């Protein structure tokens, strides 16, 4: 039989294409068809040095933020909306200048979001002027759980929160096989504000089968003699209870110096290694005789490709090579703090605002943040957000003090501590 043939169709329909048009509106306070009003709050380091006779080596954040915003706008902004940046500086020695900056940005400038936030004694609490009183979104800072509960707008941090960092440190010790070798543990808080962190850490350690015979906070923060007197009593208890490691949570300068002076009797674990940058220039007295000191921190590098164009842009603004703090020599200016804060906060804002879509409101911004899981955030190997997770960083590196180097050395790879 002859093969059957089928005639080709005489016409071929062209593929159907669908074009989606983004319609922008004046969707919310600080959001118009053309622009998003963004505020920046940052410490006036020049004014702080001048007014208080200090010699802090930090560059003011504004110029690098402005350059990165200009780059964002050259790339098309946020779904076609340009970003208008308004900067207000403050002095971190009380709430006065921070309060004024909050009022100006929220009531006068009507910004949609503030980047960086407030830091320093008396000023840090003014962040709630943004998120609670004026329902303005904030990216930055280290919100406590109770502050997040009061927030009327999104408060999102690119760094790991102090409260989650405690459990994250325990996760890091477990993942690096150190946890079983360091117990039993004594948990010590620098002040009563850290009690909830200590309670969470105690529960996490006991869930891992570890013994935690002592959990306490310093009721006399700022009083060196009273702090040492209470520590002498605690150390006797620790000896009686067989404690091997003391975990310090919070800025406890007097307590850490006292514990270092004990030599190698106890291992010392410090909750937040990122706060110990000054140790390389001025370590605690007697550290050469101390025992094991472990902490966790980030080791930033110019060679980290995740910084993208941020390094190049910051170099142009600084007119020099922007170096991580550990690489600075002598009185070189620290531009890294400005670069990293600007790069991380703007990247996070761009991700969330883009995911929120053209109808940008407080509600869509919050929903977009909750929908983001794994993030590629500059400077961190692991980062994520979620419905109940408002701090992005999930990456910690186990770090040990080395007396030969007179500095901290990484003894693990960056580790995902989110679980």
């Amino acid at each position: 039989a002859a093969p059957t043939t089928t005639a080709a169709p005489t016409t071929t329909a062209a593929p159907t294409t669908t074009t989606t048009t983004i319609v922008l509106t004046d969707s919310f306070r600080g959001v118009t068809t053309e622009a998003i009003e963004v505020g920046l709050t940052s410490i006036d380091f020049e004014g702080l040095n001048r007014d208080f006779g200090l010699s802090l080596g930090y560059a003011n954040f504004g110029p690098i933020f402005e350059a990165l915003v200009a780059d964002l706008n050259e790339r098309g902004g946020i779904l076609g909306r340009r970003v208008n940046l308004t900067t207000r500086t403050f002095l971190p020695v009380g709430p006065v200048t921070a309060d004024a900056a909050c009022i100006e940005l929220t009531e006068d400038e009507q910004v949609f979001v503030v980047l960086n936030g407030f830091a320093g004694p008396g000023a840090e609490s003014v962040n709630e002027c943004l998120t609670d009183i004026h329902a303005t979104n904030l990216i930055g800072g280290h919100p406590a759980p109770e502050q997040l509960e009061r927030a009327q707008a999104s408060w999102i941090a690119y760094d790991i929160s102090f409260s989650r960092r405690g459990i994250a440190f325990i996760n890091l010790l477990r993942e690096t096989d150190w946890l079983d070798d360091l117990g039993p543990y004594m948990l010590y808080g620098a002040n009563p504000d850290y009690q909830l962190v200590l309670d969470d850490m105690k529960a996490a350690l006991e869930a891992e089968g570890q013994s935690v015979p002592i959990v306490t906070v310093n009721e006399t923060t700022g009083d060196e003699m009273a702090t040492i007197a209470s520590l002498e009593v605690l150390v006797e208890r620790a000896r009686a209870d067989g404690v091997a490691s003391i975990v310090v949570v919070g800025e406890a300068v007097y307590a850490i110096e006292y514990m270092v002076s004990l030599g190698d009797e106890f291992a010392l674990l410090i909750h937040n290694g990122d706060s110990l940058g000054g140790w390389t220039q001025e370590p605690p007295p007697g550290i050469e005789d101390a025992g094991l000191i472990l902490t966790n921190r980030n080791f930033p590098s110019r060679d980290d490709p995740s910084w993208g164009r941020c390094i190049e842009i910051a170099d142009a603004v600084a007119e020099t090579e922007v170096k991580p703090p550990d690489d600075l020599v002598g009185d070189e200016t620290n531009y890294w703090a400005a670069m990293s804060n600007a790069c991380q906060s703007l990247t996070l804002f761009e991700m969330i605002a883009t995911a929120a879509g053209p109808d940008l409101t407080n509600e869509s911004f919050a929903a977009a943040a909750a929908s983001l899981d794994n993030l590629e955030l500059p400077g961190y190997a692991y980062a994520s957000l979620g419905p109940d997770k408002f701090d992005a960083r999930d990456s910690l590196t186990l770090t040990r003090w080395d007396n030969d180097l007179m500095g901290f050395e990484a003894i693990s790879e960056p580790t995902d501590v989110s679980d």
Side-chain angles (χ1 to χ4, degrees):
T4 303
T5 60
T6 303
T10 56
T11 60
T12 302
T16 301
T17 59
T18 302
T19 301
T20 302
T21 301
I22 296 178
V23 178
L24 301 177
T25 62
D26 298 347
S27 56
F28 200 75
R29 179 189 70 241
V31 182
T32 68
T33 58
E34 297 180 347
I36 305 171
E37 302 300 326
V38 174
L40 165 65
T41 54
S42 62
I43 294 174
D44 181 1
F45 289 107
E46 294 175 3
L48 189 63
N49 286 339
R50 180 188 63 245
D51 295 348
F52 293 90
L54 302 175
S55 56
L56 301 176
Y58 293 92
N60 279 1
F61 287 9
I64 291 179
F65 265 90
E66 291 165 4
L68 291 179
V69 167
D71 178 71
L72 171 59
N73 288 332
E74 288 175 5
R75 292 186 282 110
I78 307 293
L79 297 179
R81 289 185 174 107
R82 72 175 179 275
V83 172
N84 292 336
L85 184 69
T86 301
T87 300
R88 292 291 183 271
T89 59
F90 66 94
L91 297 177
V93 293
V96 177
T97 56
D99 275 326
C102 172
I103 297 300
E104 290 173 12
L105 289 174
T106 55
E107 297 185 8
D108 299 340
E109 301 297 335
Q110 296 278 301
V111 299
F112 174 74
V113 64
V114 171
L115 306 179
N116 195 45
F118 300 106
E124 189 169 7
S125 62
V126 182
N127 283 317
E128 292 194 81
C129 170
L130 301 168
T131 58
D132 185 3
I133 297 173
H134 291 91
T136 299
N137 303 297
L138 173 60
I139 295 180
H142 294 89
E146 59 271 18
Q147 292 177 311
L148 291 174
E149 290 178 4
R150 291 191 292 267
Q152 304 299 308
S154 296
W155 187 349
I156 298 166
Y158 42 87
D159 199 359
I160 191 169
S161 67
F162 290 140
S163 57
R164 191 166 65 87
R165 192 168 193 143
I167 296 177
F169 192 11
I170 295 169
N171 292 343
L172 176 63
L173 293 171
R174 183 194 65 228
E175 293 299 315
T176 54
D177 297 324
W178 278 82
L179 195 62
D180 292 335
D181 297 331
L182 296 169
Y185 296 84
M186 179 178 101
L187 305 183
Y188 179 87
N191 60 60
D193 291 342
Y194 290 106
Q195 185 65 59
L196 292 177
V197 179
L198 299 178
D199 292 342
D200 288 344
M201 293 182 72
K202 180 177 187 292
L205 283 167
E206 290 180 339
E208 296 288 342
Q210 302 300 317
S211 173
V212 189
I214 303 174
V215 179
T216 187
V217 298
N218 185 8
E219 300 284 354
T220 58
T221 300
D223 186 328
E224 182 176 7
M225 298 303 295
T227 295
I228 292 174
S230 65
L231 281 169
E232 289 174 344
V233 176
L234 282 171
V235 166
E236 287 302 321
R237 285 182 55 196
R239 290 173 179 140
D241 291 336
V243 166
S245 296
I246 299 175
V247 183
V248 178
V249 177
E251 306 297 320
V253 176
Y254 299 142
I256 289 175
E257 288 182 353
Y258 176 80
M259 292 170 191
V260 167
S261 73
L262 297 174
D264 61 358
E265 184 173 3
F266 301 97
L268 177 60
L269 279 60
I270 301 175
H271 161 265
N272 178 14
D274 291 331
S275 67
L276 304 177
W279 278 33
T280 53
Q281 287 78 37
E282 191 175 354
I287 197 168
E288 61 275 4
D289 298 319
L292 178 67
I293 300 177
L294 292 177
T295 185
N296 57 83
R297 57 167 292 185
N298 199 34
F299 286 88
S301 168
R302 279 183 57 91
D303 298 328
D304 181 351
S306 70
W307 292 115
R309 280 177 45 80
C310 293
I311 290 283
E312 176 186 345
I313 293 170
D315 284 352
V317 172
E319 298 182 338
T320 187
E321 186 177 85
V322 174
K323 301 177 183 178
D326 289 346
D327 296 340
L328 295 175
V329 178
D331 60 354
E332 288 183 310
T333 300
N334 183 336
Y335 291 97
W336 189 270
M339 186 284 297
S340 59
N341 275 276
C343 192
Q344 291 173 326
S345 60
L346 273 169
T347 298
L348 198 52
F349 169 63
E350 182 180 359
M351 287 178 179
I352 299 170
T354 300
D359 187 34
L360 183 59
T361 65
N362 274 13
E363 290 73 20
S364 65
F365 191 78
S371 71
L372 297 177
D373 188 5
N374 293 324
L375 304 175
E376 294 184 4
L377 196 59
Y380 299 144
Y382 305 98
S384 65
L385 293 174
D388 297 309
K389 186 174 182 294
F390 305 97
D391 55 336
R393 177 181 170 187
D394 292 326
S395 177
L396 291 180
T397 301
L398 189 61
T399 307
R400 176 172 53 199
W401 177 263
D402 187 304
N403 276 320
D404 292 331
L405 297 174
M406 272 294 144
F408 288 104
E409 63 169 348
I411 57 174
S412 80
E413 295 296 319
T415 303
D416 186 350
V417 294
S418 57
D419 297 328

